[in-house]
Amino acid sequence: MNIFRSNIKRILRDRTSLLFMVILPVFFISMYFVATSAGLSGLKIGFIDRDQTPLSTGMEAHLASEYVLVEVEEENLSAALLDGEVDYAVIIPEGYTRDILEGNHARVQGYESLDNNVYRPFVIYLESYLEAIQTIGRQSGGNEEVFYQALEAYEEGIFQMTSVQTGNSTLHTERSMGFLIMGILFFSIRSTSLIMKDKKSKVFQRILTSPLHLKQYMLENILCFSLLMLIQIALILVVVAGVFRLPMGPSLINLFLVLFLFGVTSISLGISLVSLGKDQNRMATITTLIATPMLMLGGAFWPRAIMPELLQNIGRFIPVTWAMEGVERVLQGSSITDLWFEVLILIAFSLLFFLLGTWKKEEVVQ
Amino acid sequence: MVLNVKDLVKRYGEETAIDHLGLSIDEGEIFGLLGPNGAGKTTLINSVLGLTKTESGHMEVLGKKLASNGNGVKKEIGVVPQDLAIYEDLTAYENVDLFASLYGLKGQQKKERVEEALEFVGLADKKKQYPKKFSGGMKRRLNIAMAIVHQPKLVIMDEPTVGIDPQSRNQILESVKTLNQRGITIIYPSHYMEEVEAICTRIAIMDRGRIIARGTKEELKQLIDFEEKGILLVDRPGEGLKTALKAIEELNDVEISQEGVTLTWGKGNQPLTRIMRIVDEQGYQLKGLKIQEPNLENVFLTLTGKTLRD
Ligand SMILES: Nc1ncnc2c1ncn2[C@@H]1O[C@H](COP(=O)(O)OP(=O)(O)OP(=O)(O)O)[C@@H](O)[C@H]1O
Ligand SMILES: [Mg+2]
């Protein structure tokens, strides 16, 4: 573990690379999460309450705490939507509260301005909120007192409810996860530039004249970068879930495990790219050329389902796909053992890339 | 035998860098590999170390093939690469220490060997510093310390004195001799004739991927024993003088050089009086005639028709 140890030493010493390789990625990715969710609160929401119960007024207050509520009369609603005075309107119909308390399926009406999709995250947010209300209603068995107490508890610790939420509640998080996956992919590959540095300073060639095997050298490097990645992902999750309290699904540990495994896969990919690229510039070009289509096909930028079948099938051969899949399932409450297939595939990709990167090079000197 | 290479061929595309080269080196030598830039010295070393693929050939280091028996042998070799290969972001001590570890040294023994190696190259007092701040000579010395810390049987030093001050160079040359006195075989590729002549016990002259001559200094010089060289010291020699001198049939070669006119003649065939007469006839003032001792430069020049440095 000599290479591992000395690499850690070198990284800790180099303040700028520490900043660029560890601190900034954590900062940017966390900020992205926070910014995209903060962006939701800039929406102008119209709220029309036909029910006029403690529940519906409570809902208005709840939405008002997160979003800008705009006064709007029902007659002017379509004009307001068209003019962009309102981005999205919610109408609570009469009898809504009664339906909730009776455990019936209760519906609210939503209106959206057609040429505007900024309300998508809001809809997801709203849906999860409504679903929570529905669930609480069903569970309180028609007892109004119990219902309002439970609702209050829910409002106070809204994110603790995420575990009973299913389906769409973390949809918005899933999209942001694409960004996190992208961050992990790029920064993992970037971390392997330390090997590039060794090649440039010729220490790499020198090490290969020593008894140390190329595979061992690469393995120790992978361990070193993985440790960095582990710290980074942990920090990001602590910031977004702990500090900013964004919904991260029922199990943060499982999410962490999937992301970390993908990090290791990306580092292995980086190792195999390093053996191709002759210098840092070439390496940067190759990284972009390889990573971008991977992220597109893997569903990190948009849901895979919207792509033609051919592209979806190609996507199966890309680790990003399986990482996204794993992340989505974890967010929806799957345990890590449910994900054995995704996990296995990511491990297989790591091994494949590692072997590609350490295939016995006959030409060590350029 | 420390090194045994037979019929080695290495091509870079169309270019043949090593051309059916054969070479064997015995234990205990400081073996100079003398050749101009691009002769293929480094390529030969890289081939032997398995850092580059070769077209054909048979190579043994310390009696073993490196390919199949790599690690046992690698422990016995120390390599000082032509290009500096040091971690700029580790201190001198850490650089040497890392390589000591890679060669399997541990604990107290490692510590002692690292200190010893740094002491040996004269960097003991700089061990806590980063090589970033080192002079060229200090970096070269660190480069050496990293290769000898594990006390190998064979040290390959590829042009370890390139681009450094005379003082550091002398120090390095002295240390090469000291290592050799401790029983370490040294392979010393270089294009500095003076260095090779000063320290090497045996020399191979290399050009265009081939060994064109080998032996001790004396043996090599005997190769050109049939010729003698002299420099005619005159002020601003002209073409007229050169043409007139060329008419002397005993002279094999006449070249105008910075100092004067370089003349080559067959051994024992020195046409001194005729030379002096022609100088006089051409209206030059003869300031002297320097007879040149044969040196490796002349050997190289005679064998290849080129100078070692261009
Ligand atoms: N990676 C390479 N690609 C193409 N040609 C190469 C490569 N390395 C060396 N050569 C060629 O092989 C020949 C031998 O080069 P080499 O570096 O072995 O010479 P050398 O004797 O070590 O010279 P120097 O004194 O400059 O170190 C040269 O003509 C060089 O141009
Ligand atoms: Mg060379």
Side-chain angles (χ1 to χ4, degrees), chain B residues 110-310:
Chain B
K110 177 172 83 170
K111 208 167 160 240
E112 279 164 19
R113 293 273 182 88
V114 173
E115 298 281 358
E116 210 177 293
L118 285 165
E119 185 71 42
F120 183 76
V121 297
L123 287 176
D125 52 334
K126 301 268 187 329
K127 66 182 179 186
K128 295 228 166 71
Q129 293 183 15
Y130 290 94
K132 258 179 261 188
K133 294 174 193 147
F134 282 7
S135 70
M138 284 155 75
K139 285 183 186 175
R140 287 273 159 201
R141 272 142 57 193
L142 177 58
N143 207 29
I144 293 174
M146 291 159 75
I148 59 167
V149 64
H150 59 293
Q151 302 192 344
K153 285 187 191 151
L154 167 67
V155 175
I156 300 174
M157 292 188 163
D158 197 351
E159 313 225 19
T161 59
V162 168
I164 60 174
D165 57 289
Q167 202 191 336
S168 282
R169 162 181 300 208
N170 286 337
Q171 197 177 346
I172 287 176
L173 293 182
E174 279 313 308
S175 59
V176 172
K177 283 201 253 181
T178 314
L179 283 176
N180 184 243
Q181 279 155 16
R182 294 181 187 172
I184 297 173
T185 310
I186 310 241
I187 301 180
Y188 195 93
S190 173
H191 67 273
Y192 290 117
M193 183 264 299
E194 306 87 335
E195 286 185 6
V196 170
E197 197 159 358
I199 62 169
C200 293
T201 54
R202 216 165 264 276
I203 297 156
I205 295 181
M206 196 171 170
D207 185 42
R208 291 187 214 173
R210 289 161 166 268
I211 303 288
I212 51 172
R214 58 162 296 170
T216 61
K217 274 172 283 204
E218 293 70 27
E219 286 165 353
L220 287 174
K221 283 174 191 169
Q222 274 169 15
L223 286 177
I224 56 165
D225 212 21
F226 55 91
E227 258 188 358
E228 278 176 356
K229 263 188 206 304
I231 297 175
L232 203 56
L233 305 176
V234 292
D235 278 334
R236 279 176 257 109
E239 284 300 315
L241 178 62
K242 185 176 163 182
T243 319
L245 284 169
K246 273 196 163 163
I248 306 178
E249 56 202 33
E250 282 89 346
L251 289 182
N252 297 341
D253 195 28
V254 181
E255 285 298 332
I256 294 182
S257 62
Q258 280 169 339
E259 288 175 274
V261 188
T262 306
L263 306 172
T264 314
W265 57 84
K267 195 168 175 148
N269 246 344
Q270 192 194 75
L272 192 56
T273 41
R274 289 170 64 195
I275 291 170
M276 280 162 59
R277 197 167 61 230
I278 285 175
V279 170
D280 198 40
E281 277 170 12
Q282 294 286 326
Y284 287 91
Q285 177 88 45
L286 183 62
K287 291 185 171 162
L289 178 66
K290 236 172 36 185
I291 306 291
Q292 272 195 339
E293 286 297 319
N295 61 21
L296 292 176
E297 182 81 48
N298 305 141
V299 176
F300 187 81
L301 184 65
T302 311
L303 292 178
T304 67
K306 301 188 293 196
T307 50
L308 268 170
R309 263 161 280 172
D310 16 56

Side-chain angles (χ1 to χ4, degrees), chain A residues 318-363:
Chain A
I318 290 173
V320 174
T321 307
W322 300 99
M324 285 302 296
E325 192 96 344
V327 163
E328 279 163 28
R329 293 187 54 194
V330 160
L331 287 178
Q332 289 163 10
S334 295
S335 77
I336 201 83
T337 42
D338 293 338
L339 297 183
W340 64 270
F341 190 64
E342 283 83 355
V343 167
L344 221 61
I345 289 206
L346 286 178
I347 292 176
F349 270 118
S350 308
L351 286 176
L352 176 73
F353 291 140
F354 176 72
L355 290 177
L356 280 178
T358 57
W359 204 257
K360 185 167 167 26
K361 295 288 165 324
E362 286 180 321
E363 210 61 35

Side-chain angles (χ1 to χ4, degrees), chain A residues 62-315:
Chain A
H62 177 75
L63 289 180
S65 70
E66 304 271 335
Y67 295 94
V68 181
L69 289 198
V70 188
E71 287 282 333
V72 60
E73 298 298 320
E74 212 170 330
E75 310 86 74
N76 307 334
L77 187 56
S78 33
L81 281 166
L82 277 177
D83 296 347
E85 282 168 33
V86 171
D87 292 311
Y88 194 95
V90 186
I91 300 180
I92 309 292
E94 231 183 296
Y96 176 76
T97 308
R98 191 192 58 232
D99 281 344
I100 289 284
L101 285 171
E102 286 172 1
N104 296 332
H105 190 68
R107 304 187 65 117
V108 303
Q109 286 161 277
Y111 293 93
E112 47 197 50
S113 49
L114 284 176
D115 59 340
N116 195 344
N117 59 8
V118 289
Y119 51 76
R120 281 303 309 161
F122 169 73
V123 174
I124 293 156
Y125 172 84
L126 181 67
E127 279 170 359
S128 79
Y129 180 50
L130 294 174
E131 215 173 304
I133 291 173
Q134 186 89 57
T135 312
I136 295 169
R138 225 176 280 127
Q139 282 166 356
S140 48
N143 185 331
E144 208 170 318
E145 202 177 323
V146 173
F147 172 75
Y148 280 111
Q149 266 170 14
L151 190 64
E152 201 176 321
Y154 167 74
E155 303 260 352
E156 272 166 14
I158 180 163
F159 298 110
Q160 286 152 25
M161 272 301 289
T162 46
S163 55
V164 290
Q165 292 170 16
T166 54
N168 289 339
S169 59
T170 41
L171 228 165
H172 170 244
T173 312
E174 281 169 24
R175 291 291 96 223
S176 303
M177 281 298 160
F179 184 81
L180 181 51
I181 292 281
M182 175 174 95
I184 292 176
L185 182 63
F186 273 107
F187 287 111
S188 298
I189 296 177
R190 224 205 96 88
S191 69
T192 57
S193 68
L194 200 67
I195 296 180
M196 221 65 207
K197 216 168 148 188
D198 283 6
K199 283 192 172 180
K200 202 170 152 233
S201 71
K202 310 273 180 184
V203 183
F204 175 77
Q205 290 84 329
R206 177 171 207 155
I207 285 174
L208 291 187
T209 67
S210 85
L212 191 79
H213 275 294
L214 176 63
K215 279 202 172 57
Q216 166 115 26
Y217 167 82
M218 289 297 189
L219 202 62
E220 292 191 30
N221 271 292
I222 290 181
L223 280 180
C224 167
F225 307 144
S226 299
L227 182 68
L228 279 189
M229 191 44 64
L230 185 134
I231 295 171
Q232 283 176 307
I233 297 175
L235 281 178
I236 290 170
L237 292 184
V238 163
V239 171
V240 294
V243 180
F244 291 97
R245 314 215 133 257
L246 299 182
M248 286 288 137
S251 168
L252 211 51
I253 295 289
N254 285 350
L255 180 62
F256 171 80
L257 287 176
V258 173
L259 290 174
F260 176 60
L261 184 56
F262 177 68
V264 175
T265 311
S266 309
I267 289 168
S268 279
L269 172 65
I271 297 280
S272 64
L273 293 184
V274 157
S275 63
L276 291 178
K278 292 224 153 68
D279 56 58
Q280 304 233 10
N281 285 342
R282 281 253 295 264
M283 174 82 186
T285 315
I286 293 175
T287 304
T288 318
L289 285 180
I290 289 191
T292 314
M294 272 188 146
L295 291 163
M296 294 199 272
L297 292 169
F301 294 156
W302 47 73
R304 263 167 36 86
I306 67 166
M307 292 191 294
E309 202 165 328
L310 175 70
L311 293 185
Q312 289 192 38
N313 285 335
I314 296 176

